[in-house]
Amino acid sequence: MTSAPGIVAVVLVAVATLAIGTWGLRVSRTTSDFLVASRSVGPRLNASAIGGEYLSAASFLGVAGLVLTFGSDMLWYPIGWTAGYLVLLALVAAPLRRSGAYTLPDFAEARFGSRRVRAVCSVLVVAIGLLYLYPQFQGAGLTLRSAVGAPTWVGPVVVGAVVLANVSSGGMRSITFVQAFQYWLKLWALLLPAAVLVAVWYADGRPGAAAPMPAEEWSAPLAPGGGPGLYVTYSLVVATFLGTMGLPHVVVRFYTNPDGRAARRTTLVVLALLGLFYLLPPVYGALGRAYAAELAASGRSDVLVLELPRLMVPGLLGEALTGLVTAGAFAAFLSTSSGLSIAVAGVLSQDVTGRAWRGRRLAGVTAFRVGAVVAVVVPLLMALAAPHVGVARAVGLAFAVAASTFCPLLLLGIWWRGLTDAGAIAGLAAGGLGSGAAVAMTLSAAAPAGWPTALLEQPAAWSVPLAFATMVGVSLATRSRVPAHTGRFMVRLHTPEALDLDRG
Amino acid sequence: MSGQPPERARVERVRVERVRVTGPARRRTPGARTRDIEAETRLGEVYMGSLLREQLWLAVRVLVVLAVVVGSLPLAFHVWPGLTGVRLLGAPLPWVLLGVAVYPFLVLLGWHYVRRAERNEADFLELMSEVRE
C-alpha cells in the first residue's frame, strides 16, 4: 500500500487550516471575536461555515459505509440531518438570533432568569459535545490508518493538536473562514472522485445495475424486522429532524448572524448546501455494493469512501483520488471537532474556567483557551479508551439526546409563555436521563434483536414526547413561577429588528 | 394571547441582563407606535399576539407538509413492500425518492417559509407605522 498521497493530503489540509486560521487571527482581538465573530458574518459565508462544521466524519465516511452494509434505510440519516435545518428554520432560527444570547445556557438564563436552568443546560451542552466529539476523533484514527498505515492513536492526536492550535489562537472569527473553506473542500473531495468512479462503472458495463434485485431488503428504506424496524426508522427520523436544533455547535453559529432575517437566510442556504453534499455519499455506498462488498462483510465499512477509488481505479489516478478523499475526510474531522470544541469551550469558559476560583478570575480570552484545552483533551482520551461503535451511529445517539433535551426547551421557550424554570429543569432531566440511559446501554452491550433493543437503540420516539410532556405538565403545575419578564422576552424574540423597540 | 392581566405584567416588568457587544444600529428613541407593545397594554398584546400567531401557523403549516410528504414514506414502504421493487428512470424507487428527490423538496419548502415569514414581518412593520398616524 502506497501512503504518499494520503500523507501529502493530510499535511496539505492541516497546513491550509492553520494558515487560514492564522489569517483570521489578524482580525480577532476581543472576546466577542472569539465567541461569536462579533456577529458580523454574512449569510453566504456563514452558511458555508455551518455546512463545513456540520458535515462531520459521520457524513463524509459513515453514511456511505452504512448504506453499503445496511442498505437504503440508512438514507434516513442524511435526510434527517438536512431536514433538521428546515425544522430549525421554521421554529427556531430567527427568534434564537434575536434572543441575543451567546450559547444555549445563555438563552436558558435569559428566558427563565434562573441560574439553575443555566447550570443544567451547561452540563447537557458539555455531555452532547463530548458524545459527538469522540467518534470524530476515532474516525480520524481510522482514516489515517487506512490512508497512511499509521497506528490508530496518531489520527486523534493530530486532529486534536490542529484543532487546539486554531481554536485557542483565533476563536470563532478565524474558525468561520476555516469552516467555509472546509465545506467546499469536502464537497469537491467527494464530487470529483464520484464522477470518475461512476464513469469507470459505466465503462465496466454497469455491474450490479441489471441484477434483478435479489437484495430487496437492501433496497427497502426501512430497518428490517417488521414492526420494530418501522419503529427504528421513525425514531431515527424524530431524532435527526428535531436533534439538529439542539446541537451545541449548530446553535452557537446562529449568534454570529447580524440579525434574525439573516439567520433565516443563512439557514436556507445551509439547506441547499447540505442537499447538494448528501447526493454524493449514497453513490459511494451503491458503487461499494458492486466493487467492495467484502468491506461490509469484514465490518470495515467506515473506510469505504477511502478505499473505493483505489479498488476501482488502479495506478496513479486511483492514488490521486485516494489523496483527495483522504483530504476531505481529514477536513471533516477538523471542522466538526473545531466547531464542537468552540461550543464546549465557550460554555466551559463562561460557567467553569471563567468563574472566580480561590479569589482569582481568569481573563475572558484565557478562560476560553483553558476551556478549549479541556474540550479537546477529554474526548481525545475517550476516543483512545472507548470502543468503536461506528461513526454515524455514535453521532446518531448524540442527536437523540439533543432532540430529547434542547429541542423541547427551545420550542416551548420560544413559542409558549407558560414554560417555567421548574418545568424546564424537569423536562431536561426526564429527556436527558431517558435518552442518556438508552445511549449508555447501547454503547455498553449488544442485545438481541426485537422490541427492547429497538427502544434502546433509537430512544427518540419515546424520550422526546416524554420530555415535552414533562415540561408542559410541570409548568402547568407551577404556573405561579412563570417569569415576570416573559412577555417582554417574547416581544424581543419575535419582532423584527427594524422595529425601534427597547429590547432590554 | 395570554390570560395574564396587563396591569400585573406592567408592574413586574423586569429587564433581562445581558451584554450586547455589537448589533445592528438602532435608533435610541422609541416611536409612539411601539409604545403599546413596550408597555404591554392590551392593545400591544393584540399586535404581538397577531404576529406570533401568524408566524407560528406558518411554521406549523410548513412542518405539516414536511411530516406528511416525507414522514409518510416509511409507512408507505411498510404497508406496500412491493414499492421497493418499482423502478423509476432505471433506479429503484426508494433510491430516487430518498437519495435525490427529497433534497430539492426540502429547499423549496424552506424557500417558501422564508418568503412568507419575511412578508409577515413586513406586514407587521406596516401595521405599526399605520397605528402611529
Side-chain angles (χ1 to χ4, degrees):
Chain A
M1 183 197 286
T2 17
S3 53
I7 294 179
V8 172
V10 168
V11 169
L12 279 182
V13 171
V15 168
T17 302
L18 286 172
I20 298 174
T22 313
W23 175 56
L25 181 61
R26 290 156 167 265
V27 283
S28 268
R29 284 292 173 265
T30 63
T31 308
S32 168
D33 274 343
F34 262 71
L35 291 172
V36 292
S38 293
R39 305 208 169 119
S40 54
V41 184
R44 266 188 240 159
L45 176 62
N46 210 1
S48 298
I50 292 179
E53 187 163 273
Y54 191 61
L55 295 172
S56 68
S59 303
F60 198 90
L61 299 178
V63 170
L66 285 176
V67 168
L68 171 68
T69 311
F70 299 102
S72 65
D73 56 307
M74 292 298 141
L75 293 176
W76 285 108
Y77 275 103
I79 291 176
W81 289 335
T82 313
Y85 275 93
L86 185 61
V87 181
L88 182 98
L89 169 67
L91 290 170
V92 179
L96 186 64
R97 171 60 194 89
R98 286 174 181 146
S99 75
Y102 273 153
T103 60
L104 276 169
D106 279 351
F107 172 82
E109 192 182 358
R111 172 70 173 79
F112 303 105
S114 153
R115 300 288 301 179
R116 249 185 299 170
V117 185
R118 182 191 178 94
V120 175
C121 287
S122 299
V123 169
L124 279 169
V125 166
V126 174
I128 294 172
L130 294 182
L131 195 57
Y132 208 115
L133 266 170
Y134 100 89
Q136 308 297 328
F137 283 121
Q138 283 191 333
L142 218 62
T143 303
L144 281 201
R145 192 182 60 193
S146 164
V148 189
T152 40
W153 59 267
V154 174
V157 170
V158 172
V159 169
V162 176
V163 167
L164 202 56
N166 247 3
V167 167
S168 57
S169 66
M172 196 63 155
R173 169 83 83 158
S174 71
I175 286 294
T176 302
F177 297 113
V178 173
Q179 309 282 33
F181 159 72
Q182 278 166 349
Y183 169 78
W184 295 103
L185 174 63
K186 275 180 268 190
L187 183 69
W188 286 106
L190 219 46
L191 184 61
L192 285 182
V196 173
L197 296 184
V198 168
V200 169
W201 175 69
Y202 260 94
D204 283 357
R206 305 201 292 158
M213 304 302 294
E216 284 288 302
E217 192 166 273
W218 190 70
S219 260
L222 286 172
L230 190 66
Y231 165 85
V232 165
T233 305
Y234 269 113
S235 196
L236 176 68
V237 167
V238 170
T240 50
F241 278 38
L242 300 178
T244 304
M245 72 177 74
L247 295 177
H249 63 308
V250 170
V251 168
V252 87
R253 275 265 154 224
F254 277 84
Y255 306 116
T256 60
N257 285 299
D259 57 24
R261 190 158 169 262
R264 274 199 208 108
R265 297 189 160 204
T266 299
T267 317
L268 184 59
V269 181
V270 170
L271 266 180
L273 293 180
L274 292 182
L276 189 63
F277 180 88
Y278 282 132
L279 295 175
L280 300 170
V283 174
Y284 284 82
L287 287 175
R289 188 91 177 145
Y291 288 93
E294 74 280 359
L295 282 182
S298 61
R300 294 174 58 233
S301 60
D302 269 351
V303 297
L304 168 68
V305 171
L306 301 168
E307 305 258 325
L308 195 60
R310 201 179 272 147
L311 288 172
M312 285 180 68
V313 188
L316 202 60
L317 181 61
E319 292 299 331
L321 294 179
T322 304
L324 197 54
V325 287
T326 307
F330 203 65
F333 306 124
L334 286 183
S335 54
T336 303
S337 312
S338 307
L340 281 163
S341 309
I342 287 202
V344 174
V347 168
L348 285 177
S349 71
Q350 284 180 328
D351 292 334
V352 184
T353 55
R355 287 288 188 78
W357 197 65
R358 285 191 190 165
R360 292 184 57 193
R361 178 191 280 273
L362 291 173
V365 171
T366 314
F368 184 80
R369 287 182 174 149
V370 173
V373 172
V374 176
V376 169
V377 171
V378 172
L380 185 64
L381 295 177
M382 279 170 75
L384 297 177
H388 185 67
V389 289
V391 178
R393 282 213 187 271
V395 165
L397 294 173
F399 270 86
V401 176
S404 317
T405 52
F406 287 128
C407 166
L409 181 78
L410 284 170
L411 291 192
L412 294 175
I414 287 172
W415 296 101
W416 187 45
R417 287 168 196 240
L419 187 63
T420 65
D421 54 347
I425 290 181
L428 288 175
L433 292 177
S435 58
V439 168
M441 301 271 278
T442 309
L443 290 182
S444 62
W451 273 111
T453 310
L455 290 172
L456 287 180
E457 200 180 72
Q458 287 293 349
W462 56 266
S463 60
V464 175
L466 174 73
F468 268 105
T470 312
M471 273 195 199
V472 173
V474 175
S475 293
L476 288 178
T478 56
R479 214 170 290 175
S480 60
R481 297 179 64 97
V482 172
H485 67 270
T486 303
R488 167 145 295 260
F489 195 69
M490 287 291 172
V491 170
R492 186 162 103 205
L493 291 185
H494 295 285
T495 49
E497 283 88 347
L499 197 65
D500 46 358
L501 284 173
D502 174 15
R503 280 158 197 281
Chain B
M1 192 57 211
S2 83
Q4 206 179 39
E7 293 79 18
R8 205 185 112 210
R10 203 184 307 149
V11 171
E12 296 184 0
R13 210 172 95 188
V14 172
R15 287 196 161 208
V16 190
E17 269 188 28
R18 69 176 180 129
V19 182
R20 182 161 65 230
V21 183
T22 57
R26 282 165 199 143
R27 278 166 288 171
R28 292 285 91 188
T29 47
R33 59 194 141 158
T34 55
R35 264 183 216 139
D36 281 316
I37 289 180
E38 295 210 325
E40 292 179 51
T41 61
R42 232 187 247 294
L43 187 61
E45 292 219 341
V46 170
Y47 295 146
M48 268 315 293
S50 76
L51 175 67
L52 220 77
R53 255 194 312 278
E54 281 294 322
Q55 298 288 51
L56 187 57
W57 272 117
L58 170 62
V60 167
R61 281 203 305 272
V62 164
L63 295 181
V64 164
V65 171
L66 173 72
V68 168
V69 174
V70 178
S72 65
L73 288 177
L75 193 63
F77 282 102
H78 181 73
V79 176
W80 300 289
L83 283 177
T84 305
V86 176
R87 288 185 157 248
L88 195 70
L89 306 170
L93 185 63
W95 286 81
V96 175
L97 290 179
L98 274 67
V100 182
V102 71
Y103 296 108
F105 172 74
L106 292 177
V107 175
L108 272 179
L109 211 52
W111 177 74
H112 169 77
Y113 171 81
V114 169
R115 251 182 29 146
R116 294 301 301 270
E118 288 188 354
R119 196 186 300 165
N120 285 346
E121 287 182 353
D123 289 350
F124 181 72
L125 288 177
E126 206 172 307
L127 174 72
M128 287 294 103
S129 59
E130 276 167 13
V131 166
R132 185 195 220 176
E133 310 316 331

